[in-house]
Amino acid sequence: MNNVNVPKEVNTYCPKCKHHTVHTVSLYKAGKRRALAVGERAHAREKEGYGGQKYALQHTFAKTTKKQTLRLKCKTCSYMYHKDGIRLRKLALV
Ligand SMILES: [Zn+2]
C-alpha cells in the first residue's frame, strides 16, 4: 500500500463507551526528546570517550517506508487510543 486516504472522522468501537461512536482521526507523532531527562543524560554519559558507541549505527535501511500510527479520539468521552501502525508511503487525512 502506497497512498491511503483516511477519513478525518470514523464511526468505530470505543473501549470506554463499549459501543460504536464517532472518533476523530489524527496522525500519531512521537513527542520531542527532552535533553535534560535522566535517561537522555545517562545515555549521553555512556557515549562519552573512547569506545563510547554502545551499538552499531545503522546507515543503510532495507525499508523505504515508516509505520504510520493512527490516533483515535472518541467524540463523546474524549478517550484517546492508538491504532496499530501500518507501512505506508503516504497517508492523507481527508
Ligand atoms: Zn468513548
Side-chain angles (χ1 to χ4, degrees), residues 9-76:
E9 280 188 350
V10 285
N11 190 36
T12 188
Y13 182 78
C14 171
K16 207 177 173 189
C17 300
K18 289 178 180 168
H19 56 85
H20 276 59
T21 51
V22 180
H23 287 68
T24 50
V25 184
S26 56
L27 201 60
Y28 166 78
K29 274 179 187 165
K32 201 181 159 194
R33 312 278 306 183
R34 290 177 297 122
L36 292 179
V38 180
E40 207 73 32
R41 283 181 285 151
H43 183 63
R45 220 160 33 238
E46 272 188 339
K47 280 184 74 170
E48 259 179 24
Y50 180 72
Q53 187 59 47
K54 295 291 175 191
Y55 47 87
L57 281 180
Q58 193 170 10
H59 294 293
T60 52
F61 293 86
K63 303 270 191 281
T64 57
T65 54
K66 283 195 171 179
K67 281 187 180 176
Q68 309 273 352
T69 305
L70 291 177
R71 202 172 63 157
L72 298 165
K73 189 183 182 186
C74 176
K75 269 197 152 181
T76 47

Side-chain angles (χ1 to χ4, degrees), residues 2-8 27 70 88 90-94:
N2 290 334
N3 302 317
V4 169
N5 291 327
V6 177
K8 274 179 186 160
L27 201 60
L70 291 177
L88 292 174
K90 196 184 166 193
L91 187 144
L93 289 168
V94 288

